[in-house]
Amino acid sequence: MKSLSVFCSPARYVQGEGATASLGAEISRLSLGQRVFVLAGKSAMKHLAVSWDSSFGQASLDYEVLEFAGECTRAEIERVKSAARLWQAEVIVGTGGGKVLDAARAVACDLDLPVVNCPTVASSDAPCSALSVVYKENGEFDSYLFYKRNPDLVLVDSAMVAKAPGRLLSAGMGDALATWFEARAVREASKLNQVGGAPTISATALAKLCYETLLEDGAASLAAVNRSEVDDHLERLIEANTLLSGLGFESGGLAVAHSVHNGLTTVEETHAFYHGEKVAFGVLVQLVLENRSEDEIQEVMKFCLSVNLPLTFSQLGIDRVEPALIDRIAERTVAPGETAHNEPFVVNAEMVAEALRQADRRGRDFLGLGRSG
Ligand SMILES: [Zn+2]
């Protein structure tokens, strides 16, 4: 039987400057629960404490805030779970960067509670998804956790995103950059998306709109964040990084770019770099591997340069590119179960190793850095 098409998304998405003021009202409107357990990153606690108090107060909700320890590891998920259980939480709110939200979703899933994601940065497309990335204590990629449901509510306060460092916004653009190219590969290969269905035409179209929005608003929105200002470019770009990329990757599917990311996490030096920065280089590798047109590769490299995304190994902290290192990344990229196998042709480690070398060379040439290394 032909696979069924499946599309999934959060039940409700709210975005705008000062959106945190509506958090309590939104939770009430959706009847998610009276006892709100907030898992928060440091910066969220600092900037949003006053806003939470008035927003939850106005909606007559009880709330408790726990500070996130910094990494979404299995140990941290267990710690937050026991705290939430002890407090008899009825709804879990994750507020902060991608890892806080990953942990909040895992906790809510294990406790079978509704979950609200309030990203304070637009650094990845995880907030809308029903999936978390778990890392090992040493920062290496551990596994994906898949949940039954997408978040009940995703609420993005654009004012918080504008306050965050520009590099985080760029990282989100790197993650979003992969969405269209991976969705296209999955469609061409007639493979399945991240929720086990065939991609709907709407998911593929959203992925395309995601890429177009990056090209249109990427550089200007980075400039807005560098001025700590919300403008229309930034609003559209936040939507691309968060909603379009989130729906696009999950319902459109992943391919080589994200597997290259997973391969790169086996290299210690890359741990200082964000998910989306590694994914951006993965996009270049994927396009080289797919033998895409020169125009397309140039367009992608131009975009990466315009928003400070890496195009070479050295821009990812890898200065000594030994053959054994390339092989290690390539082997991990094509490990069983990796989305690298969602391409319309068979992908093996030798091909990936060659594409890694070529992508790095292309990046160096583009940046005028010569061919050494
Ligand atoms: Zn991603």
Side-chain angles (χ1 to χ4, degrees):
M1 194 182 85
K2 229 178 134 208
S3 303
L4 298 174
S5 301
V6 181
F7 179 90
C8 64
S9 72
R12 192 173 169 90
Y13 179 86
V14 177
Q15 178 191 313
E17 199 169 359
T20 309
S22 303
L23 180 57
E26 290 290 340
I27 289 173
S28 285
R29 173 206 299 271
L30 297 167
S31 304
L32 298 180
Q34 280 297 313
R35 295 178 64 79
V36 183
F37 189 86
V38 181
L39 177 65
K42 239 191 198 80
S43 146
M45 291 186 77
K46 188 172 130 202
H47 294 289
L48 297 176
V50 174
S51 201
W52 286 329
D53 206 54
S54 73
S55 179
F56 293 135
Q58 275 164 25
S60 309
L61 300 172
D62 296 323
Y63 77 101
E64 170 86 344
V65 181
L66 178 70
E67 187 175 336
F68 180 61
E71 280 293 335
C72 181
T73 60
R74 290 178 190 276
E76 175 65 358
I77 292 168
E78 288 308 316
R79 182 185 74 97
V80 179
K81 237 164 77 182
S82 8
R85 198 188 278 127
L86 198 68
W87 191 72
Q88 297 179 311
E90 292 172 358
V91 47
I92 307 291
V93 174
T95 312
K99 290 173 181 182
V100 185
L101 307 189
D102 275 339
R105 278 195 303 281
V107 167
C109 174
D110 283 359
L111 299 178
D112 204 18
L113 293 175
V115 68
V116 177
N117 280 341
C118 303
T120 55
V121 290
S123 63
S124 89
D125 55 19
C128 289
S129 73
L131 165 161
S132 290
V133 186
V134 178
Y135 292 89
K136 296 178 187 162
E137 303 287 344
N138 68 5
E140 252 179 64
F141 171 80
D142 179 331
S143 57
Y144 291 116
L145 294 177
F146 295 92
Y147 309 128
K148 283 178 286 195
R149 285 183 308 175
N150 290 70
D152 298 86
L153 170 66
V154 174
L155 182 141
V156 194
D157 190 332
S158 310
M160 287 298 287
V161 177
K163 277 194 199 105
R167 187 176 161 196
L168 287 166
L169 191 77
S170 294
M173 291 193 244
D175 204 16
L177 177 64
T179 308
W180 160 239
F181 300 109
E182 292 184 291
R184 181 177 67 182
V186 170
R187 179 159 286 280
E188 286 177 2
S190 302
K191 293 282 170 68
L192 301 181
N193 60 26
Q194 292 304 101
V195 288
T200 56
I201 51 173
S202 48
T204 311
L206 292 175
K208 182 120 198 249
L209 178 61
C210 181
Y211 180 51
E212 290 163 0
T213 308
L214 294 181
L215 294 181
E216 191 72 29
D217 296 301
S221 63
L222 186 57
V225 163
N226 289 337
R227 297 190 308 269
S228 302
E229 270 172 36
V230 178
D231 66 8
D232 291 344
H233 295 289
L234 182 60
E235 289 287 10
R236 285 193 293 268
L237 198 277
I238 292 171
E239 185 180 334
N241 279 13
T242 314
L243 185 65
L244 293 175
S245 183
L247 302 179
F249 99 80
E250 193 169 36
S251 292
L254 295 178
V256 162
H258 269 78
S259 290
V260 168
H261 161 274
N262 295 343
L264 287 168
T265 68
T266 65
V267 183
E268 177 84 44
E269 289 93 317
T270 70
H271 293 176
F273 293 83
Y274 293 109
H275 171 84
E277 292 174 325
K278 283 171 265 200
V279 169
F281 183 67
V283 171
L284 186 57
V285 176
Q286 180 177 325
L287 295 178
V288 166
L289 189 76
E290 290 174 343
N291 210 4
R292 293 293 176 181
S293 78
E294 190 54 36
D295 283 357
E296 186 166 280
I297 292 176
Q298 287 288 329
E299 186 176 71
V300 165
M301 290 197 296
K302 237 173 79 187
F303 171 75
C304 286
L305 181 63
S306 75
V307 297
N308 310 324
L309 285 169
L311 291 167
T312 66
F313 280 123
S314 88
Q315 287 180 315
L316 283 168
I318 306 173
D319 288 318
R320 290 168 59 89
V321 188
E322 315 270 353
L325 184 115
I326 299 260
D327 289 344
R328 171 151 51 108
I329 299 169
E331 292 290 346
R332 182 63 187 81
T333 300
V334 300
E338 272 299 335
T339 56
H341 304 294
N342 282 346
E343 295 288 331
F345 47 85
V346 174
V347 175
N348 64 37
E350 291 74 54
M351 291 159 71
V352 173
E354 181 50 34
L356 282 163
R357 272 186 218 102
Q358 253 192 61
D360 178 59
R361 199 177 310 131
R362 296 292 302 262
R364 284 169 170 277
D365 285 352
F366 184 77
L367 299 173
L369 296 176
R371 283 168 179 270
S372 64

